[in-house]
């Protein structure tokens, strides 16, 4: 998995790891996202506006009603499209961060924490900028 000459990881491994991590993260948070959107958009739901259906009283109520009315699997409805949209962003961001981080001087986090943290933030920001330019 590492280059025999330089000892660095193959960027494609980081690309795959970032993509998988992004898909897992989006899948795990999909129910919370679904409930958040249902609560945020309830004022535009004609059934709620007309009084035919009561407003959600909170997240717990929204989860319970959503599962009762639409089923558990409905909490992940639309997740594939969400993953297709997000996976390239996560994948490129992880790949670019490790590659860009190599361009910065290496600092010891125990003795030069300020410089270490600044280089981490700078490499992450640069990776985010490159990712958002491409995706």
């Amino acid at each position: 998995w590492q280059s025999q000459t330089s000892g660095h990881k193959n960027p494609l491994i980081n690309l795959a790891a970032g993509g998988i991590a992004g898909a897992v993260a989006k899948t795990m948070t999909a129910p919370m996202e679904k409930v958040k959107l249902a609560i945020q958009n309830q004022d535009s739901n004609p059934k709620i506006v007309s009084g035919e259906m009561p407003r959600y009283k909170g997240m717990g109520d929204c989860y319970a009603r959503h599962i009762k009315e639409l089923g558990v699997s409905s909490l992940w409805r639309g997740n594939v499209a969400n993953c297709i949209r997000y996976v390239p962003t996560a994948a490129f961001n992880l790949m670019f961060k490790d590659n860009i981080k190599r361009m910065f001087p290496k600092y010891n986090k125990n003795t030069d924490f300020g410089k270490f943290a600044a280089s981490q933030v700078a490499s992450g920001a640069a990776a985010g900028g490159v990712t958002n330019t491409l995706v």
Side-chain angles (χ1 to χ4, degrees):
W1 299 105
Q2 293 185 347
S3 168
Q4 305 227 341
T5 56
S6 67
H8 295 300
K9 284 185 181 176
N10 183 340
L12 296 178
I13 299 298
N14 286 336
L15 187 72
I20 291 167
V24 169
K26 283 295 182 184
T27 301
M28 296 296 290
T29 59
M32 289 181 280
E33 184 74 19
K34 183 68 86 172
V35 166
K36 178 193 79 148
L37 288 172
I39 291 171
Q40 284 178 336
N41 295 322
Q42 66 184 331
D43 288 329
S44 62
N45 184 337
K47 289 182 179 180
I48 291 176
V49 172
S50 70
E52 181 182 334
M53 204 166 103
R55 291 177 57 80
Y56 298 113
K57 295 179 182 111
M59 288 193 69
D61 177 52
C62 187
Y63 269 113
R65 283 178 45 194
H66 207 84
I67 291 169
K68 182 181 172 189
E69 295 167 8
L70 302 170
V72 175
S73 64
S74 69
L75 293 172
W76 285 273
R77 191 174 299 141
N79 188 53
V80 172
N82 205 14
C83 285
I84 288 170
R85 182 183 58 81
Y86 184 71
V87 164
T89 302
F92 283 129
N93 206 28
L94 185 62
M95 182 184 74
F96 288 138
K97 183 178 185 294
D98 281 351
N99 287 319
I100 291 171
K101 190 166 50 172
R102 287 190 207 123
M103 295 180 210
F104 286 85
K106 295 200 184 318
Y107 297 104
N108 185 325
K109 66 180 173 185
N110 297 321
T111 59
D112 258 341
F113 184 75
K115 291 178 181 177
F116 172 79
S119 70
Q120 292 290 313
V121 170
S123 64
V130 172
T131 298
N132 285 335
T133 300
L134 293 176
V135 177

